[in-house]
Amino acid sequence: MPPSDRGKHVQDRVYEASIADPESFWRQQAAHVHWHKQPSQVIRKGKKTLAKSRVTHDSWSWFPDGEISTTYNCVDRHVHNGNGDNVAIYWDSAVTGVKEKYTYKQLFNEVETLAGVLREEGVKKGDVVLIYMPMIPAALFAMLAIARLGAIHAVVFGGFSAAALAQRMEASRPRAIMTASCGIEGSKGPTAYKHLIEDAIEKSKFKPGKTIIWQRDELRWDPVLKENGQRNWQRLVKSARNRGLRADAVPVQSNDGLYIIYTSGTTGTPKGVLRTAGGHAVGLNFSIKYLFGIHGPSDVMFTASDVGWVVGHSYILYAPLLAGATTVLFEGKPVGCPDAGTFWRIINEYKVTTLFTAPTALRAIRREDPNNDFFRKTYGGNGGLKSLRALFLAGERSEPSIVQMYQKLLREFCAEGATVVDNWWSSESGSPISGIALSASAGEDFTSAHRDKALTTKPGSAGKAMPGFDVRVVDDEGNEVKRGEMGNIVLAVPLAPTAFTTLWEDDERFYKGYLKRFNGRWLDTGDAGFIDEDGYISIMSRADDVINVAAHRFSTGQIEQAITTHTGIAEAAVIGIPDELKGHLPFAFVTLSSQEHPESAVPSEKLVKEVQMLIREQIGAVASLGGMIQGKGIIPKTRSGKTLRRVLRELTENATHGAMDKEVAVPSTIEDREAVDIARGKVKEYFEKKGKDLHKATESRAKL
Ligand code: AMP
C-alpha cells in the first residue's frame, strides 16, 4: 500500500486502483471465474466507424480472446466443487401457496435436460430465444438452459401487452419463445397467456418457429397447437429424461451476447441492451461479493424484483448463483399477498441475509402498515429478522425518509451492523454504478470473506462510484461542474465489464442515444444529480425531469423529497408546467398518508402552506409550487415502479390549454392505466375549481 493510501477507507482505495490500472484490477477479478479458454488480454480499446453516419467513436471489449460459459459458472462449477447439496433456489409463490426448493445438483439436472430439449428443438449457439414467463423456477431454468447452449435470451416482462411483446419480438427475431400457460398477479387470479402470445406473434412481422409452453395447473393452455409450433414444455422434458438427453455447456467468446434486455422504453421503440458473456460473469461475480457482501453457501439473497428487469437478471439469477449462494424467487406482490408482511415472512422463513427491492415496494408496505407492525411485532419481535444484514434499494430515487425509517428498523431488529444501501444503476450498466460496499476488502483480496466496516451511508445519496465506473457531473457543454453542483451525470469510457458496449444490432443508435450528446467524450446516463465533496453521488431525477424556474435548475426528485418530509404525505410526483414569467413552475401530485383520502382534488390551504414552507426551508422560495393536486392512486407508474411524470405533465399542460379530454401518450409499460384516468379526473376538477389561469392558481405562492 503506498503511504498516501494509509488512512483511506478500503472502498476508496479499491476504487482508485480500478480507475488507475483497470487492466491489473480486472485481471485479478477474472481469475475468480472459470474460463474454458483463459483470456490473454484484459481489455481491447479501439475506434469504431459507423457504417451509416461514418462517425468514429471509442470502443472497447473485455477479455476479448477468452471463452466462457456463464451457466457452467453458475451451476456445474458448484456441483464439481462438492457444493451440489447446497440450496440454489427457494421458490415461494405467495399467489398459489406453493413452495419449492432446488439444490445445485437438482438445478444442474433440470438445466442440462432442458438445454438438451432446446437443442433438439433447433436452438443453436448465437440464436435468440425470447422468454415471457411468470416468476416460477422454470423461468430461471430457461435462462440458464439457453445460456448453456451459447444462445442469447431476451426476457420480456411477463405482464407486458401483446403489442409490447410483438415489438420486442420483431426487434430480437427469436428462434423460439418460452412461456407459460398463465401468469398470476397478486390476488387478481390467473391471466391466460395463450391469446396474448398468439396475438403478439400475429402482430409481429417476424414469426418465431416454436412456442414452448410451461403448463400451470391454475389455468392451462388449451389446446396446444402442434401445427403452429406449440409444444408442451413438461412433456418435452419428460421425454428427454426418458431418453437420457442432456446438453453440455457450450462456451462462447467473451464478447458474444449472453442476453438482450429491453430498456423500460417510456418513449419510442425499446432499446435492446446487449450483455456480453465474459465481462458480465467477471463483473457480477465481483459485485456480489464486494458490494453485497455475499460470499457463498451460507448467504441467502432475496431480490424482490422480476426476471423481466435487469435487477432480476443480475441479482435474482446470475450473481447469487455465480457466488454459489441461495436465491429466493418470489411470485407475488409486497402487499395484498396476503398482507404487507410478506417480505418479512420470507426473510424469517428462509433466513434471508440480503434483501434487494425498489423503494416503491417499501412505500406500498408503508401505506398498508404505517406503524410497521409486521416488521416490529409479527416477525421482528421474537428475533425472527436477525439474519438480515442489508437492505439494498434501487430502481428509482429513495427519499431520505424511507431510508431512515428502514435504517432504524434494521438497527433494532436485524443483524448487528445491518444497513440500508441505496445503489444506482440501469439496464445499460448491468450492475450498480454506485453504492456502499459491504465487503470492500474483496477488491484487494477476493478470497477473504471479510465484511468490513462499511463507509457511512448518507440518506438521499446512492453511495460512491463502484470500481470501473468513472462517474462525472457535467454541464450541457460537457464541462465538469464543481462538487455539489447539479448537472448531467455521465461516465467516462470504457465502462466497467458488466456494462453494455453497444445495442443489439444497432451501433448507430448506441452512438446517437449515449455518446453523441457529448461528442463521444462522455457516455450520457440520462440522469441528473450531483457528487458531494466526499464523493457521494446523489441521483435526483432523469435529466428530462429537470425544471428550469426563473433560471434556477431544480430536479423533480429534490422537490419531491422536500414534500415527502411532510408526515401527512405518502408520495409525491413533481412536474414542471410552463409559466409566462418564470419559464416553468413546479407542480405536485400527492397522495396522503391517511387511509381515508379526501374527496377533493384541491388540498386544504393548511396543507399547501405547510408544504410550501417545507420547500422554502429545504430548497428555497424560488422552488415553491405553482399548484398541488391530491388524490388516491393518481401517480401513474411503469411496471418496474418508475413514476411516469411525462404523463402527468401532458395531462396538466392539456388542462392549462383547456384541452382536458385530449388523449395522452401512455407507454405500454404502464402498471395501472386506471391511474391515468384518475389523474385526468383530478386535474380536470382542480382546474375547474382553480380556473385555467395558472397565475390565479399560484396566488398563494406569491403571497407566501
Ligand atoms: P432501468 O434501466 O429500467 O433499470 O432504469 C434505470 C434508471 O432508473 C436510472 O437511469 C435511474 O434514472 C433510475 N434509478 C435506478 N436506481 C436508482 C437509484 N438508486 N436512485 C435514483 N434513480 C435510480
Side-chain angles (χ1 to χ4, degrees):
M1 186 191 306
S4 59
D5 277 1
R6 282 200 200 110
K8 269 189 194 156
H9 189 277
V10 57
Q11 176 169 347
D12 294 330
R13 274 202 319 262
V14 169
Y15 178 72
E16 284 163 22
S18 80
I19 299 297
D21 186 359
E23 295 236 5
S24 68
F25 185 84
W26 293 109
R27 178 176 294 112
Q28 270 179 38
Q29 305 313 330
H32 303 292
V33 297
H34 174 88
W35 294 91
H36 277 71
K37 178 173 172 265
Q38 283 291 336
S40 64
Q41 199 184 355
V42 174
I43 185 165
R44 182 185 294 151
K45 292 187 205 162
K47 297 273 178 202
K48 195 183 264 175
T49 302
L50 299 170
K52 224 160 89 194
S53 59
R54 308 301 306 157
V55 171
T56 300
H57 68 81
D58 288 340
S59 66
W60 68 96
S61 62
W62 289 99
F63 317 110
D65 61 350
E67 288 179 23
I68 196 164
S69 162
T70 305
T71 301
Y72 184 91
N73 273 284
C74 288
V75 187
D76 307 35
R77 186 166 59 129
H78 305 305
V79 176
H80 299 330
N81 288 348
N83 291 324
D85 292 327
N86 289 325
V87 178
I89 303 169
Y90 284 120
W91 180 48
D92 191 298
S93 171
V95 295
T96 59
V98 180
K99 294 172 189 180
E100 288 176 4
K101 181 172 99 175
Y102 295 86
T103 63
Y104 274 94
K105 233 185 245 162
Q106 287 166 327
L107 178 64
F108 185 36
N109 199 292
E110 295 287 346
V111 172
E112 239 191 342
T113 310
L114 184 58
V117 165
L118 291 179
R119 196 177 52 197
E120 221 171 46
E121 292 299 314
V123 175
K124 301 182 306 296
K125 183 172 174 170
D127 285 345
V128 174
V129 179
L130 191 145
I131 296 179
Y132 184 90
M133 298 276 292
M135 291 284 285
I136 60 177
L140 303 188
F141 304 161
M143 291 164 84
L144 291 167
I146 293 164
R148 189 172 190 81
L149 295 178
I152 301 167
H153 58 70
V155 184
V156 176
F157 173 63
F160 277 169
S161 64
L165 179 57
Q167 206 178 30
R168 287 155 177 79
M169 213 179 269
E170 255 174 38
S172 63
R173 299 191 312 282
R175 179 166 295 273
I177 298 185
M178 301 183 77
T179 187
S181 55
C182 66
I184 307 172
E185 266 200 43
S187 49
K188 281 191 214 153
T191 310
Y193 280 178
K194 181 174 166 65
H195 296 298
L196 197 146
I197 299 278
E198 288 173 344
D199 191 18
I201 296 178
E202 171 88 32
K203 283 192 167 81
S204 165
K205 282 195 213 98
F206 180 87
K207 317 279 179 203
K210 298 268 168 70
T211 305
I212 300 168
I213 305 143
W214 182 271
Q215 291 282 17
R216 300 189 79 180
D217 291 338
E218 290 77 14
L219 183 62
R220 295 182 70 81
W221 178 302
D222 192 31
V224 174
L225 299 170
K226 230 177 157 192
E227 60 278 22
N228 290 356
Q230 298 177 2
R231 302 280 183 274
N232 179 317
W233 183 326
Q234 286 101 322
R235 263 203 215 141
L236 294 178
V237 168
K238 194 166 168 207
S239 146
R241 277 223 169 95
N242 290 340
R243 290 178 287 133
L245 183 70
R246 287 159 177 275
D248 275 343
V250 178
V252 296
Q253 292 283 323
S254 175
N255 286 294
D256 284 346
L258 170 68
Y259 69 77
I260 304 168
I261 184 160
Y262 288 93
T263 57
S264 40
T266 41
T267 49
T269 47
K271 293 198 276 271
V273 167
L274 180 67
R275 188 84 52 229
T276 53
H280 173 259
V282 172
L284 266 196
N285 190 52
F286 168 71
S287 84
I288 190 76
K289 195 161 186 187
Y290 173 82
L291 173 61
F292 292 86
I294 286 189
H295 299 266
S298 59
D299 296 313
V300 182
M301 182 156 201
F302 170 27
T303 300
S305 175
D306 191 283
V307 287
W309 315 130
V310 69
V311 173
H313 279 65
S314 293
Y315 297 102
I316 293 176
L317 181 62
Y318 287 117
L321 296 195
L322 281 167
T326 303
T327 186
V328 179
L329 178 71
F330 169 63
E331 187 181 34
K333 299 226 166 190
V335 296
C337 274
D339 52 39
T342 302
F343 278 11
W344 322 131
R345 170 187 65 78
I346 289 180
I347 289 172
N348 172 277
E349 199 165 327
Y350 304 103
K351 302 287 162 259
V352 170
T353 53
T354 314
L355 171 64
F356 189 176
T357 191
T360 185
L362 300 185
R363 289 187 207 114
I365 293 172
R366 182 172 60 181
R367 249 194 322 267
E368 298 286 310
D369 182 15
N371 300 322
N372 294 306
D373 284 340
F374 281 114
F375 201 108
R376 296 173 165 281
K377 297 185 185 150
T378 320
Y379 298 104
N382 51 4
L385 301 175
K386 282 277 176 222
S387 60
L388 191 70
R389 294 195 305 256
L391 164 59
F392 282 81
L393 295 176
E396 43 157 359
R397 181 174 169 71
S398 290
E399 63 278 21
S401 58
I402 202 115
V403 173
Q404 281 153 344
M405 181 173 111
Y406 275 95
Q407 188 57 66
K408 233 171 119 199
L409 286 170
L410 258 60
R411 207 169 292 137
E412 208 175 325
F413 296 98
C414 300
E416 207 189 316
T419 181
V420 180
V421 182
D422 182 356
N423 57 114
W424 162 62
W425 53 304
S426 61
S427 305
E428 289 85 344
S429 73
S431 66
I433 308 172
S434 74
I436 297 292
L438 297 190
S439 281
S441 53
E444 293 179 335
D445 173 14
F446 193 86
T447 50
S448 110
H450 185 61
R451 290 191 185 93
D452 310 280
K453 185 159 174 24
L455 279 169
T456 319
T457 52
K458 294 191 187 181
S461 150
K464 293 197 183 189
M466 285 289 108
F469 285 109
D470 187 353
V471 185
R472 312 286 179 98
V473 182
V474 301
D475 62 19
D476 289 345
E477 276 69 54
N479 300 316
E480 280 191 68
V481 303
K482 285 210 273 310
R483 287 276 164 121
E485 260 178 38
M486 265 256 301
N488 304 292
I489 308 203
V490 297
L491 303 170
V493 298
L495 310 184
T498 57
F500 71 159
T501 53
T502 188
L503 293 174
W504 171 244
E505 295 184 339
D506 208 344
D507 290 340
E508 204 81 43
R509 197 162 172 212
F510 172 70
Y511 176 75
K512 278 202 194 120
Y514 300 95
L515 291 172
K516 188 172 170 196
R517 179 164 179 212
F518 298 109
N519 294 321
R521 188 165 158 219
W522 309 113
L523 187 136
D524 187 14
T525 65
D527 287 326
F530 61 91
I531 304 181
D532 75 8
E533 289 294 342
D534 302 323
Y536 284 71
I537 302 170
S538 288
I539 308 297
M540 300 309 294
S541 65
R542 296 293 293 166
D544 297 349
D545 289 328
V546 170
I547 308 174
N548 209 323
V549 186
H552 295 274
R553 285 157 63 81
F554 297 106
S555 67
T556 49
Q558 194 179 8
I559 304 173
E560 286 160 7
Q561 182 171 314
I563 298 175
T564 49
T565 54
H566 193 290
T567 49
I569 293 178
E571 199 171 1
V574 168
I575 55 162
I577 49 168
D579 179 78
E580 269 174 35
L581 292 177
K582 315 250 168 168
H584 279 97
L585 287 180
F587 191 98
F589 288 76
V590 299
T591 59
L592 306 187
S593 317
S594 58
Q595 298 282 359
E596 298 300 313
H597 230 281
E599 277 288 300
S600 172
V602 182
S604 70
E605 252 184 54
K606 180 171 172 282
L607 183 65
V608 175
K609 235 185 203 158
E610 286 166 359
V611 167
Q612 298 284 40
M613 274 316 285
L614 289 170
I615 293 176
R616 172 179 273 228
E617 280 163 18
Q618 294 174 35
I619 307 173
V622 64
S624 44
L625 298 178
M628 182 161 104
I629 299 186
Q630 65 183 16
K632 198 172 176 187
I634 51 167
I635 302 180
K637 302 241 169 88
T638 63
R639 301 300 306 246
S640 53
K642 297 185 203 306
T643 303
L644 282 166
R645 293 185 189 81
R646 190 179 52 73
V647 171
L648 292 174
R649 194 164 58 222
E650 265 189 59
L651 283 174
T652 316
E653 278 180 15
N654 290 348
T656 61
H657 299 129
M660 314 237 187
D661 295 316
K662 196 170 153 201
E663 272 309 304
V664 292
V666 179
S668 61
T669 47
I670 191 162
E671 164 80 23
D672 186 1
R673 277 175 192 273
E674 216 185 303
V676 180
D677 296 328
I678 298 174
R680 187 199 304 281
K682 293 286 178 190
V683 168
K684 203 166 167 176
E685 182 195 331
Y686 181 90
F687 283 93
E688 273 164 10
K689 285 193 181 149
K690 286 277 188 187
K692 272 206 318 276
D693 182 357
L694 271 169
H695 291 299
K696 247 191 245 161
T698 55
E699 264 166 24
S700 63
R701 180 176 191 269
K703 275 190 217 144
L704 273 172

